[in-house]
Amino acid sequence: MTSHDPQLVHRVREILNDHKGMEGPLLPILHAVQHAFGFVPQEAIPVIAAELQMTRAEVHGVVSFYHDYRDHPPAAHTVRLCRAEACQALGAERVAAHAKAKLGVDWHGQAHGVALEPVFCLGLCACGPAAQVDGKLVARLDEDKVDAILGGMI
Amino acid sequence: MRVYVPLDAAAKALGADEVAAAIQAEAARRGVEITLVRNGSRGMVWLEPLVEVATDLGRMAFGPMTTADVAALFEDLKAHPKALGLTEELPWMLRQTRLTFARCGVIDPLSLDEYELHHGLKGLKRALSLSDADIVAEVRESGLRGRGGAGFPTGIKWETVRTAKADQKYIVCNADEGDSATFADRMLMEGDPFTLIEGMAIAGLAVGATKGYIYTRSEYPDAVSQMTRAIQIARAAGVLGPSVLGSGRAFDMEVRVGAGAYVCGEETSLLNSLEGKRGTVRAKPPLPALQGFLGKPTVVNNVISLASVPVILDRGAAFYKNFGMGRSQGTMALQLAGNVKFGGLFETAFGLTLGEIVDDIGGGTATGRPVKAVQVGGPLGAWFPRALFDTPFTYEDFATRGGLIGHAGLTVADDSVDMLKMARFALEFCAIESCGKCTPCRLGAVRGVETVDRIARGDAAAIPLLTDLCDTMKAGSLCALGGFTPYPVMSALTHFPDDFAVMREAAE
């Protein structure tokens, strides 16, 4: 596969250059690519594979293994709700159901420019239910806080 | 006026940044000169944001603070509505034995000077005066065991790496703290990162490794940036680099960030991920101690294990092993989480009973309802009913009672929790997070969810099937994900059979 976007290839090559000499550089490279583009574009994979002397299938296998890497641009806003046990003990399921109903989507769904993602533990287990809203951590989430958060987005 | 506002992620999630900004603004408005220190958390999460003000008597604590409480900090402190008294005299603090977390919340986490004023670098300096074999012997005699969950003796692991012959060896810190109810690694990395750096440098000297990696989670952006800055500071000060503290011996390290895969907390998956591969589990042997990162001898230790090494080298093995009970020696950083009144981090010697921890230290549930069950050791740990609250908190006692202490995270749940749902969740989680390499985990978890659903529909014949499936997963899985998922499932079924019988009885 050849890329039709010389700018994209140029940027990926810059990232590859920044990671020269690293031991096990693929995850840092993919993080940097996702940081630059918002996702890991298909066209980046053969460029990375050639540089690291891997097959495209191997690189694709790594990208698809990890939950963090997206193959499409992110939504304008991302709300990540913790689903883990400590947050469940404080009503995380109830709060998640409220958020799903409000947006009209299930996990991994998008509506009104908001993506709803599950997350398993943000390390805020003593002040749950926890969430990460566009990168900002929120503790002691309840239905009112969800309304306030989503109200500012949609 | 010296004011402390935690930068800990939990404190920030509860509004610490806004409180800090309000304090700056109020000081400017009043023309009062202040020094605002962003410290780590003292571990009293129910009081966060916990603000401290230095006084002649000691540091006074105020919490939980809101921006509306800020103005009163500039008036009579004792009359402040959120005044709690001197931090060090709070019951939560007085009852602890803080060895690993001695500096967390006390010092400015990025001040190497303050770190040294509080016994920092003494362990490393002593290690530099010892032979590699003597360092390992000190750690072995301390009784330190892996704090990540497996409980393997740290000194024995180090000895294997020390005596291995190789041109390159590595120290890998497992900071992939993905277990629900655990946040000790995060707290330490944010609140006292130099302790982890010092512990890793000592490990490097002990086994002959010159390079270290901290593998942590993308869900922990604060810990990542704090650790990265601390490493830069340590390098600039000559604590890390080609000549550690001028000794002529090299050790350096860097932070690597995972990509949202729970299984990468398993040490062989972690090593694959660090190498840039899919985070699949490796079969053992070969042990990572002999063929680890890039096939070289590698120490893989948890954050708290490595962060406990400086105090052991500083105070000596005998001092450390004096704490604890039986073969569980030293202290453990308990993490009280979930539906608990006083949630947070409490470091204490091994040996308190589960009931003392939950009812006494934790104060029972936050909702005020009775405690129904406590999951000990994260999502792969067993649920304990009140009937087992006399279990002493040690590796052995929990194993005897069909559980594990894991990373010492405790999720408290009140009587509204449905244990069948929790069993189903454990299997669903395993299905989502399985690396897919071995069949019992990959397929067993999916079949397990279906089997629990059958039980929920009133099919009692599915109960022995679930038991059988759990036996297979336990015995046949390559790693702890598939192998330990049966703990929450079977403990729920064994201790809370009523939750699995409701539908059947309703049908009868």
Side-chain angles (χ1 to χ4, degrees), chain A residues 48-138:
Chain A
I48 297 168
E51 172 74 19
L52 300 185
Q53 299 186 333
M54 295 169 76
T55 65
R56 276 159 31 203
E58 283 171 325
V59 176
H60 173 77
V62 172
V63 174
S64 61
F65 181 86
Y66 295 96
H67 298 303
D68 281 2
Y69 299 128
R70 287 183 298 266
D71 59 3
H72 55 274
H77 299 287
T78 302
V79 175
R80 303 172 88 195
L81 301 181
C82 182
R83 286 194 67 198
E85 288 86 346
C87 287
Q88 279 189 46
L90 287 166
E93 289 223 302
R94 197 189 66 237
V95 175
H98 181 79
K100 287 178 188 175
K102 185 118 183 147
L103 286 170
V105 298
D106 202 350
W107 294 122
H108 306 292
Q110 277 189 31
H112 313 292
V114 181
L116 186 67
E117 298 290 335
V119 59
F120 294 95
C121 199
L122 293 163
L124 307 177
C125 318
C127 49
Q132 199 176 23
V133 180
D134 290 337
K136 189 180 174 5
L137 297 170
V138 182

Side-chain angles (χ1 to χ4, degrees), chain B residues 57 102 146 167 176 201 241 308 369 448 493:
Chain B
L57 299 169
D167 56 344
D176 198 49
S308 298
R369 300 172 68 102
L493 183 61

Side-chain angles (χ1 to χ4, degrees), chain B residues 200-373:
Chain B
M200 287 178 71
I202 294 169
L205 295 171
V207 305
T210 53
K211 178 88 204 206
Y213 289 96
I214 297 172
Y215 183 99
T216 188
R217 312 174 65 220
S218 60
E219 293 88 342
Y220 280 5
D222 293 287
V224 171
S225 64
Q226 187 80 342
M227 254 349 288
T228 305
R229 288 170 69 191
I231 288 169
Q232 286 164 353
I233 293 165
R235 195 178 289 137
V239 176
L240 295 173
S243 177
V244 171
L245 294 176
S247 65
R249 300 177 65 182
F251 188 78
D252 212 330
M253 64 171 81
E254 61 182 90
V255 178
R256 288 292 178 88
V257 183
Y262 171 77
V263 74
C264 290
E266 196 281 334
E267 61 175 359
T268 62
S269 298
L270 187 155
L271 292 169
N272 275 339
S273 183
L274 199 57
E275 290 179 7
K277 299 172 182 159
R278 294 165 69 89
T280 48
V281 173
R282 297 178 185 173
K284 289 191 274 191
L287 293 171
L290 296 172
Q291 292 180 40
F293 182 56
L294 300 174
K296 303 294 185 186
T298 304
V299 168
V300 186
N301 277 152
N302 166 257
V303 172
I304 307 301
S305 312
L306 288 163
S308 298
V309 167
V311 70
I312 291 168
L313 265 291
D314 175 21
R315 310 288 290 271
F319 167 81
Y320 190 79
K321 78 183 295 181
N322 203 23
F323 299 96
M325 179 172 172
R327 286 178 50 233
S328 298
Q329 289 161 328
T331 58
M332 194 72 182
L334 306 173
Q335 297 133 80
L336 285 146
N339 189 347
V340 64
K341 192 171 180 190
F342 305 127
L345 182 134
F346 190 97
E347 183 178 350
T348 185
F350 287 96
L352 289 176
T353 67
L354 181 58
E356 286 173 304
I357 294 167
V358 173
D359 293 330
D360 197 9
I361 297 167
T365 65
T367 47
R369 300 172 68 102
V371 175
K372 177 168 175 175

